[in-house]
Amino acid sequence: MSVLIEKNKSLQAYNTFGIDAIAPFFCRVETVEELQEVLQMEQFRQLPILILGGGSNILFTRDPEGLVLLNRIAGESVEKEDEDHVWVKVGGGQNWHDFVLYTIAQGWGGLENLSLIPGTVGAAPMQNIGAYGVEIKDTFSHLEAVERESGQLRVFTNSECEFGYRSSIFKTQARDKYIIASVTFRLHKKHTYNTSYGDIQKTLLELGIEELSLKAVSDAVIRIRQSKLPDPKKIGNAGSFFKNPVINTQLFKKLQEQYPNMPNYPQNDDWVKVPAGWLIEQSGWKGHKRAQIGVHEKQALVLVNYGGARGADLKQLAADIQASVEEKFGIQLETEVNFI
Ligand code: EPU
């Protein structure tokens, strides 16, 4: 067994923004053993290593250094089951949406609201992906990760992952220390449906669905996402570019006097989440275009590459948006996308 190492490889096909960055060294691993083999190679021990999953949450503002390692670790298996639940283990390099469709076909509930999210299974826990009222932490059991330094496999339970809104330990203390090899979800054989968020109910009606099923909810979510979010295969983008900010209730009340229609999601007595998309739209950016880049016309949270853009230009656009939202609302937007 030997992993092929390529040199000066274009990463354009490996990031959903479609930025043409060049990796000095590049390889693809399909098993934990291949991953461990690469980590032990003498030539890479002193070099930075960048792990790519689906490349759907990354913006290359320059060429990366060292080795770019594409995680394509595959496999699906049932670890155990009882009357109500099944624990299904899936390789970190599998495509997320394909895996969601597989669980739905098996009749296992819990991931249907997370249909059509771009990216891989291994990247999902890193930022605790979420949509339509569900986050992966809700069905996540544990994961196996390879420690970069030692090459050893280690298990992280749900609480050890320290999940938060678009966050986990892999974005904080354990950043750049582990590579996620597999994730195990505890899925439901008896279903409860979460259709309270946003347009799901309305879309189910539009689709003429009378009886709820995992597939019906998934179909509704797919339809909503397709209507609002650009397809990265057609227009380069990385989904939400910013996180929804959480502001203190005092600031929120002050803003609400001025903007009574400001959408809001109270987190507790002290904190309120407000949609970044709304703040950006109110600041006049929705549909903005400059050369090959812009702000999506149907969802202001999404920055797009119409073709041939440089990552640095998108970074500048993001900074301009942050400055104008801060000036108008006194709110600092944090990026959800990772910059290289
Ligand atoms: N809104 C606007 N203008 C816009 C966009 C949104 O006024 O241009 C308003 C909407 O009218 C609505 C509110 O903002 O009142 C929320 O909008 P939406 O339901 O579209 O969701 P979001 O908060 O903008 C979040 C996630 C998405 C996820 C959706 C659905 C974040 C950063 N984004 O977006 O996740 O799909 O909810 O659950 O939390 C992603 O992370 O890449 C992503 C797409």
Side-chain angles (χ1 to χ4, degrees), residues 242 276-290 293-303 306 316-326 328-329 333:
F242 302 98
W278 185 88
L279 298 170
I280 297 168
E281 179 173 351
Q282 296 300 309
S283 306
W285 289 97
K286 198 172 187 170
H288 168 89
K289 285 203 174 101
R290 77 167 59 151
I293 62 176
V295 179
H296 190 51
E297 58 272 328
K298 294 189 197 135
Q299 165 56 290
L301 200 47
V302 177
L303 304 191
Y306 291 108
Q316 184 59 52
L317 173 59
D320 293 347
I321 292 171
Q322 281 168 318
S324 83
V325 167
E326 175 149 24
K328 190 171 166 78
F329 295 101
L333 291 184

Side-chain angles (χ1 to χ4, degrees), residues 148-194:
R148 290 193 194 190
E149 188 61 34
S150 65
Q152 299 287 314
L153 258 189
R154 168 184 165 181
V155 173
F156 285 80
T157 62
N158 189 313
S159 64
E160 285 168 344
C161 288
E162 299 179 6
F163 290 124
Y165 167 61
R166 293 296 191 277
S167 173
S168 75
I169 193 166
F170 303 104
K171 282 189 113 178
T172 55
Q173 295 106 289
R175 190 177 193 110
D176 295 335
K177 294 203 170 80
Y178 293 91
I179 300 163
I180 297 174
S182 74
V183 183
T184 300
F185 293 93
R186 191 188 74 143
L187 300 176
H188 304 276
K189 293 182 179 175
K190 295 175 186 155
H191 307 146
T192 47
Y193 301 102
N194 189 333

Side-chain angles (χ1 to χ4, degrees), residues 4-18:
L4 176 72
I5 307 288
E6 296 175 68
K7 281 189 182 167
N8 297 325
K9 173 92 170 171
S10 168
L11 300 176
Q12 193 162 27
Y14 300 103
N15 70 100
T16 58
F17 258 125

Side-chain angles (χ1 to χ4, degrees), residues 226-240:
Q226 284 175 337
S227 71
K228 282 194 187 166
L229 299 166
D231 177 354
K233 290 195 190 96
K234 297 185 187 130
I235 302 177
N237 77 90
S240 303

Side-chain angles (χ1 to χ4, degrees), residues 35 39 51 69 71 144-148 177-181:
L35 172 59
L39 292 176
I51 313 301
L69 192 154
N71 177 353
E144 286 179 319
V146 173
E147 192 184 15
R148 290 193 194 190
K177 294 203 170 80
Y178 293 91
I179 300 163
I180 297 174

